[in-house]
Amino acid sequence: MSETRVFLLPDLGEGLTEAELVSWHVAVGDEISVDQPIAEVETAKSTVEVPSPYAGIVAELHGQPGETLDVGKPLISVTPVGVAGVAADDAAPAEPAGPVVEPAETELGEPVAEPAKAHPEAEAYREEEKAGSGNVLIGYGTPGGHGVARRTRAPKSSVAVAEPADAKPAEDDLSLLRTRVPGRLGAVISPLVRRMAREHGVDLGELPGSGEGGLIMRRDVEKAIHAPVAEPAQTRPVETKPVETRPAATQPVETAGAPEGVDARTGLPIASRTPVKGVRKAVAANMARSRSEIPEATVWVDVDATGLLELREGLKAGGSQVPGLLAFIARFVTAGLKKYPELNTRIETASDGSQEIVSFDGVNLGIAAQTDRGLVVPSVRAAEKLTARELDAEIRRLTDVARQGKATPTELGSGTFTLNNYGVFGVDGSAAIINHPEVAILGVGRIIDKPWVVDGELAVRKVTELTLTFDHRVCDGGTAAGFLRFVADAIENPTTLLADI
């Protein structure tokens, strides 16, 4: 009997739990090799190609283009060439038997304790994470390619050894299954636990983990599932009472009486329904969280940018390659964050409700970029070490890969402060929403001619508006105003900070 190996959709980075299948690069019956791209998937952060950790004949494709797949669910089934008489030119196996998922092994051949014999998905997930060539796909790595460590398959046994409910998973299991939960520092969980929580409506963001380092275990989710036994008895009368007291005559008017395709509340025809998914879903969740958690405040100032524009024109006349205006402003921002580091921080909340302000030795400057897939914020890493020309080159590169949907989760999720140039849309100002979990965002409006007083005389100058939205928990208005004034002064007198361009 042929042995089919099931490759589960791997974790694609930083807490992403699902991905949309864009297209298949292979078909049933194709022979594939290790690390060959088999599918293209789109996550809430980028579009990536998924390589196969197995070589063999494609036995089954688990999903259709356009379908949303959960992390840890089957993606593709592969039958190794030469197993049970399967040859390379013997393409599609007829009706393969149920997939066989092998027990996990250690590098030295010792069997790893299997805590989820009753859950084959988790068992397969551990096995497929250990196969492959050593190449890395964002948050997913196959460790087999950097050495010749010998693998000895653990002997199969018909007796399943169940792990005690309170037993700690092996360190190898933790390294294979851990995935960070967005917004929580210590809570990491396996795809199996995420699925269990999702199916039972358990909010992982509010669930303390009992494992090492705050790890959320299966027992924690099971405890949460069985804990609120008495709650339905209190809430059920409240839910059913309005239905019982509503006049019967009004019910048909709102439901059965409404024609198909007509909104019952407004009476207007429904033009379309668009699922909220991908980047739009991620942006919506992040913005809603920012608004609900961050007590934000906004300060703004009009700035005379004539001096900066004249400096660029002078550099152009000299024949040198001149950075864009956004690169100059980015240079001023990184200098300002060195002087006002409170705005380059993050607030972390522990499971007991206590909070800490985390500061960073460096600036990862996020650049808000509008793409066909929605608003994304790739970040320039260690931006404080770059000159204006170097910033310009990196901003252009990141904007390009973001618009192609090829930016990695690291590039999209590592920012410490965001710069947003909404002036390209022809607007003067905006009270932007902070890119959670950052604590501040600086917006730049369009540059237009305005009357301005210079040395007591009225003149026409190139004026822009800077808007800073900040988290009032990390600093007060004096710090925010000081940073904003620093950037404004640098724009008005650019030569003082640009000796290194």
Side-chain angles (χ1 to χ4, degrees):
M1 182 180 68
S2 63
E3 181 178 293
T4 301
R5 310 186 77 177
V6 180
F7 176 41
L8 307 184
L9 180 66
D11 191 310
L12 300 172
E14 286 304 310
L16 301 178
T17 61
E18 63 183 20
E20 180 180 342
L21 179 60
V22 177
S23 63
W24 286 107
H25 295 336
V26 297
V28 173
D30 289 353
E31 182 178 359
I32 61 176
S33 58
V34 172
D35 287 335
Q36 177 180 334
I38 55 175
E40 185 178 63
V41 298
E42 180 180 13
T43 71
K45 295 193 173 185
S46 60
T47 300
V48 296
E49 288 186 332
V50 181
S52 171
Y54 306 134
I57 304 298
V58 177
E60 185 176 358
L61 304 178
H62 301 278
Q64 299 294 327
E67 182 179 349
T68 298
L69 305 177
D70 291 334
V71 167
K73 291 297 182 68
L75 179 65
I76 189 173
S77 295
V78 179
T79 302
V81 176
V83 175
V86 176
D89 48 8
D90 186 9
E95 208 58 43
V100 177
V101 181
E102 301 170 358
E105 306 159 0
T106 65
E107 291 288 339
L108 300 178
E110 297 129 356
V112 176
E114 296 294 335
K117 281 292 183 180
H119 301 280
E121 290 176 5
E123 186 175 350
Y125 190 83
R126 284 193 295 274
E127 171 65 16
E128 58 92 46
E129 284 276 284
K130 294 188 174 190
S133 68
N135 289 347
V136 175
L137 169 65
I138 309 178
Y140 164 72
T142 56
H146 296 287
V148 290
R150 182 178 179 183
R151 291 181 181 269
T152 305
R153 181 167 299 166
K156 299 180 180 179
S157 173
S158 59
V159 179
V161 181
E163 177 186 284
D166 294 329
K168 290 185 177 180
E171 184 65 28
D172 192 42
D173 292 339
L174 290 180
S175 66
L176 293 176
L177 295 179
R178 63 176 61 200
T179 302
R180 185 175 300 281
V181 179
R184 287 183 60 83
L185 177 64
V188 287
I189 54 175
S190 73
L192 178 63
V193 175
R194 281 205 305 268
R195 180 174 62 83
M196 182 186 300
R198 184 167 60 248
E199 290 177 351
H200 292 86
V202 177
D203 184 0
L204 293 172
E206 303 297 328
L207 188 65
S210 62
E212 181 181 358
L215 181 71
I216 296 179
M217 310 293 291
R218 185 174 70 247
R219 58 177 176 267
D220 299 323
V221 177
E222 291 174 343
K223 182 179 178 181
I225 292 172
H226 295 95
V229 176
E231 188 175 344
Q234 299 174 356
T235 59
R236 189 171 297 163
V238 178
E239 295 175 357
T240 57
K241 186 176 180 180
V243 178
E244 297 172 355
T245 57
R246 174 180 291 188
T250 64
Q251 295 178 5
V253 175
E254 298 181 13
T255 56
E260 184 178 358
V262 175
D263 180 52
R265 189 180 72 85
T266 64
L268 297 174
I270 297 175
S272 65
R273 293 182 182 273
T274 305
V276 179
K277 59 182 181 179
V279 171
R280 177 54 53 196
K281 181 179 179 180
V283 170
N286 198 48
M287 297 298 100
R289 183 172 188 181
S290 179
R291 281 294 197 203
S292 64
E293 292 185 10
I294 298 178
E296 62 187 33
T298 303
V299 291
W300 60 92
V301 64
D302 287 339
V303 182
D304 180 3
T306 306
L308 180 57
L309 292 175
E310 290 176 348
L311 173 66
R312 290 192 72 246
E313 290 301 319
L315 292 173
K316 286 181 180 179
S320 60
Q321 184 177 354
V322 182
L325 285 174
L326 191 62
F328 284 110
I329 297 175
R331 183 73 181 86
F332 303 149
V333 167
T334 57
L337 291 174
K338 288 182 181 179
K339 188 172 183 180
Y340 298 93
E342 298 91 336
L343 297 171
N344 189 52
T345 60
R346 180 178 69 227
I347 283 189
E348 289 180 354
T349 303
S351 57
D352 61 359
S354 61
Q355 293 183 326
E356 291 181 335
I357 298 177
V358 181
S359 59
F360 306 103
D361 184 13
V363 178
N364 287 350
L365 184 62
I367 305 295
Q370 189 67 44
T371 72
D372 292 339
R373 302 170 61 244
L375 181 67
V376 296
V377 188
S379 60
V380 179
R381 299 175 68 84
E384 80 285 356
K385 299 178 181 179
L386 304 181
T387 65
R389 285 196 177 93
E390 291 169 337
L391 284 168
D392 184 67
E394 185 64 2
I395 289 172
R396 293 179 188 277
R397 184 192 72 81
L398 287 172
T399 302
D400 183 57
V401 297
R403 287 174 177 161
Q404 293 180 42
K406 301 297 184 181
T408 67
T410 298
E411 291 171 331
L412 293 174
S414 60
T416 61
F417 184 96
T418 295
L419 177 59
N420 185 8
N421 179 23
Y422 43 71
V424 297
F425 301 114
V427 298
D428 298 329
S430 170
I433 300 176
I434 296 172
N435 185 24
H436 186 279
E438 298 168 16
V439 298
I441 180 171
L442 178 68
V444 183
R446 61 178 177 164
I447 300 177
I448 58 175
D449 290 340
K450 279 189 176 182
W452 198 262
V453 176
V454 181
D455 298 328
E457 299 290 336
L458 190 63
V460 176
R461 306 289 284 183
K462 302 292 185 180
V463 178
T464 186
E465 181 179 288
L466 301 181
T467 306
L468 177 70
T469 303
F470 66 98
D471 188 336
H472 225 312
R473 296 174 297 178
V474 301
C475 68
D476 297 324
T479 299
F483 169 80
L484 189 62
R485 191 65 255 172
F486 178 93
V487 177
D489 290 343
I491 292 176
E492 293 182 343
N493 303 282
T495 56
T496 58
L497 283 175
L498 292 177
D500 60 347
I501 66 171

